[in-house]
């Protein structure tokens, strides 16, 4: 099979580097273009990129010339790891020029004709793509988006609970790693020996994006899931892996027999979905791993579970205020960014959306 030619926008950044790493040896996708800001364009990737991923920079990309983020890139599929300040119009220009765009940026996530996608959660939402093309007059290209990194892991854990028991209320407090702010991110003076109880715009994303993800596609529009979410987001002194303390109220609890803690654990642990059924190359065997130890998950020990593509849930117990509470850990630059976006593209490939016409 000829592999799909892939470009990475923001290839020199934290998420861009993760794309470069994860796409090495990918069975369906091959990196043929790397792009970043005009300050980096025109220089070899190996020279301009301050490589921060723990393995070596792959030799195949070292001599590739970094290009401008604009039509003309030698690829069909574009992964966008651009900052929200610039991503919106660049991604639209590329989609209008016929590129398939899979974005990590915030700009188009809530557009009414753009899928906000987690393949285990709402794979049917990709059907809006034909409407998006018609609406925008794009013959070939389109945009799909991945959620905010804290949202991906939260929604993956909420999905089986919603399906099994219903959900009405979610309270979440995040402890988010430094890499979530990109490179160089926060000054060490601000984050060492410290917790910062504010991440600009994050709480709004955590309170709104899950409603679209867990909502329904009806005709040409998304109906948000009827639940309330309250988020408090904190930046903490870890490098990778966001931890979240979550309490939930189950919607059907009053009408049905209360599920036991064991039933909640079983719903989480047994969850699999379309990516596992289709055996997509980046799909974790088990999207949710439940740990029984009283002090897990922990970022340092659990973030790389199944290559960073699974989320780890622990400390499932009754909540004296809502119904149940637990802790979730997810790898923010893998499942929460590049890996999640690659899985989105694999779903699109499996469903025939990346065919050359
Ligand atoms: P980052 O480390 O700051 O990297 C930003 C990248 O964008 C660099 O490659 C930079 O290129 C490029 N860039 C900056 N300004 C540009 C411009 N005007 N035109 C073209 N390229 C430009 O940021 P990041 O953490 O990788 O985040 C990238 C995106 O992913 C953001 O939208 C972020 O919200 C989202 N995201 C991040 C995470 C995470 O955990 N970090 C998780 C989920 C989503 P130069 O090197 O040339 O400046």
């Amino acid at each position: 099979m000829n592999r799909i030619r892939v470009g990475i926008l923001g290839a020199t950044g934290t998420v861009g580097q993760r794309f470069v790493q994860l796409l090495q040896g990918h069975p369906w996708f091959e990196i043929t273009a790397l792009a970043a800001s005009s300050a980096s364009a025109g220089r070899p990737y190996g020279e301009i990129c301050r490589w921060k991923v723990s393995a070596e920079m792959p030799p195949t990309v070292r001599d590739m010339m970094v290009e401008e983020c604009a039509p003309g890139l030698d690829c069909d599929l574009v992964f966008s790891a651009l900052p929200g300040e610039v991503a919106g119009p660049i991604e639209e220009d590329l989609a209008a020029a016929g590129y398939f765009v899979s974005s990590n940026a915030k700009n188009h996530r809530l557009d009414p004709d753009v899928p906000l996608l987690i393949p285990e959660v709402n794979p049917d939402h990709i059907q809006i793509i034909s409407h998006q093309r018609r609406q925008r007059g794009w013959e070939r290209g389109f945009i799909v988006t991945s959620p905010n990194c804290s949202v991906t892991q939260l929604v993956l854990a909420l999905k089986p609970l919603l399906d099994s028991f219903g959900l009405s209320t979610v309270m979440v407090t995040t402890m988010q790693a430094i890499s979530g702010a990109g490179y160089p991110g926060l000054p060490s003076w601000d984050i060492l020996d410290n917790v910062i109880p504010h991440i600009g715009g994050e709480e709004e994303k955590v309170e709104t994006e899950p409603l679209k993800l867990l909502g329904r596609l009806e005709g040409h529009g998304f109906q948000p899931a009827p639940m309330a979410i309250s988020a408090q987001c904190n930046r903490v002194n870890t490098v990778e892996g966001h931890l979240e303390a979550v309490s939930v109220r189950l919607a059907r609890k009053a009408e049905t027999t209360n599920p036991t803690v064991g039933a909640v654990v079983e719903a989480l642990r047994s969850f699999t979905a379309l990516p596992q059924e289709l055996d997509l190359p980046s799909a974790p065997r088990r999207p949710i791993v439940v740990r029984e130890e009283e002090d897990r998950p922990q970022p340092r020990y659990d973030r790389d579970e199944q290559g960073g593509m699974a989320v780890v849930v622990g400390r499932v117990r009754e909540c004296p205020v809502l119904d149940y509470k637990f802790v979730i850990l997810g790898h923010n630059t893998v499942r929460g960014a590049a890996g999640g976006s690659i899985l989105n593209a694999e779903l699109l490939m499996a469903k025939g959306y990346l065919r050359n016409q």
Side-chain angles (χ1 to χ4, degrees):
M1 181 176 86
N2 282 343
R3 289 192 290 168
I4 300 277
R5 298 171 316 140
V6 165
I8 302 168
L9 310 180
T12 51
T14 308
V15 176
Q17 293 182 29
R18 200 49 95 178
F19 273 117
V20 169
Q21 183 205 27
L22 294 176
L23 288 167
Q24 295 309 301
H26 194 283
W28 299 351
F29 304 140
E30 172 189 17
I31 300 173
T32 54
L34 298 172
S37 76
S38 48
S40 304
R43 299 173 67 180
Y45 187 71
E47 184 186 303
I48 194 68
C49 176
R50 301 182 68 178
W51 187 253
K52 296 288 173 195
V53 179
S54 48
E56 282 281 293
M57 179 186 286
T60 46
V61 293
R62 249 184 234 141
D63 297 330
M64 284 179 72
M65 209 55 83
V66 176
E67 298 175 68
E68 300 273 356
C69 297
L73 296 172
D74 179 30
C75 58
D76 298 297
L77 168 64
V78 162
F79 289 114
S80 171
L82 289 174
E85 293 73 29
V86 298
I90 292 175
E91 292 171 357
E92 283 175 27
D93 287 351
L94 285 162
Y99 294 86
F100 312 125
V101 179
S102 179
S103 174
N104 279 280
K106 65 180 178 185
N107 308 64
H108 296 293
R109 286 181 188 148
L110 298 181
D111 288 4
D113 57 353
V114 171
L116 176 61
L117 186 61
I118 300 175
E120 284 94 342
V121 172
N122 60 340
D124 59 308
H125 287 198
I126 61 177
Q127 290 164 27
I128 197 94
I129 287 173
S130 50
H131 175 65
Q132 180 192 127
R133 282 175 166 147
R134 270 196 309 278
Q135 285 276 104
R136 302 189 186 219
W138 297 342
E139 283 183 14
R140 178 176 186 261
F142 59 77
I143 299 174
V144 300
T145 57
S146 304
N148 167 276
C149 43
S150 297
V151 171
T152 299
Q153 62 190 69
L154 175 66
V155 169
L156 267 169
L158 294 182
K159 172 67 175 166
L161 303 184
L162 177 68
D163 289 350
S164 298
F165 312 115
L167 275 176
S168 67
T169 308
V170 178
M171 307 277 288
V172 53
T173 300
T174 71
M175 289 151 268
Q176 301 184 214
I178 299 165
S179 60
Y183 185 81
L186 294 158
S188 54
W189 184 261
D190 290 343
I191 193 65
L192 286 176
D193 186 29
N194 210 4
V195 172
I196 299 175
H198 176 252
I199 302 175
E202 198 80 352
E203 290 171 359
E204 293 78 357
K205 290 175 199 165
V206 178
E207 289 172 358
T208 53
E209 291 179 17
L211 307 182
K212 182 172 180 182
L213 285 154
L214 294 168
R216 286 200 314 273
L217 175 62
E218 283 177 7
H220 296 322
F222 296 105
Q223 294 304 319
M227 65 177 72
I229 303 178
S230 173
Q232 300 194 62
C233 296
N234 305 283
R235 185 74 67 197
V236 300
N237 191 3
T238 51
V239 175
E240 286 181 310
H242 292 349
L243 198 66
E244 299 177 353
V246 184
S247 294
V248 296
R249 186 187 300 286
L250 305 178
R252 286 180 221 140
K253 192 168 176 184
E255 301 144 30
T256 55
T257 316
N258 294 347
T260 59
V261 168
V264 172
V265 167
E266 185 50 27
L268 292 163
R269 184 172 272 152
S270 61
F271 176 66
T272 60
L274 190 57
Q276 287 70 39
E277 205 179 290
L278 296 173
D279 200 17
L280 298 178
S282 302
R285 198 173 23 85
R286 288 273 167 207
I288 300 170
V289 171
V290 182
R291 304 284 312 212
E292 302 284 355
E293 303 90 325
E294 62 184 12
D295 60 353
R296 301 285 279 273
Q298 295 179 17
R300 186 139 52 90
Y301 299 126
D302 296 309
R303 62 191 165 209
D304 293 322
E305 178 69 44
Q306 294 175 62
M309 288 299 285
V311 302
V312 184
V313 176
R315 308 208 61 221
V316 183
R317 59 215 191 278
E318 288 189 2
C319 171
V321 178
L322 301 183
D323 290 329
Y324 292 98
K325 56 184 174 177
F326 45 86
V327 179
I328 310 172
L329 177 78
H331 197 306
N332 55 299
T333 64
V334 181
R335 185 69 208 220
S341 205
I342 292 169
L343 189 61
N344 283 354
E346 290 170 359
L347 175 71
L348 292 164
M349 176 83 173
K351 292 291 179 186
Y353 283 83
L354 303 189
R355 285 201 196 101
N356 286 316
Q357 291 156 346

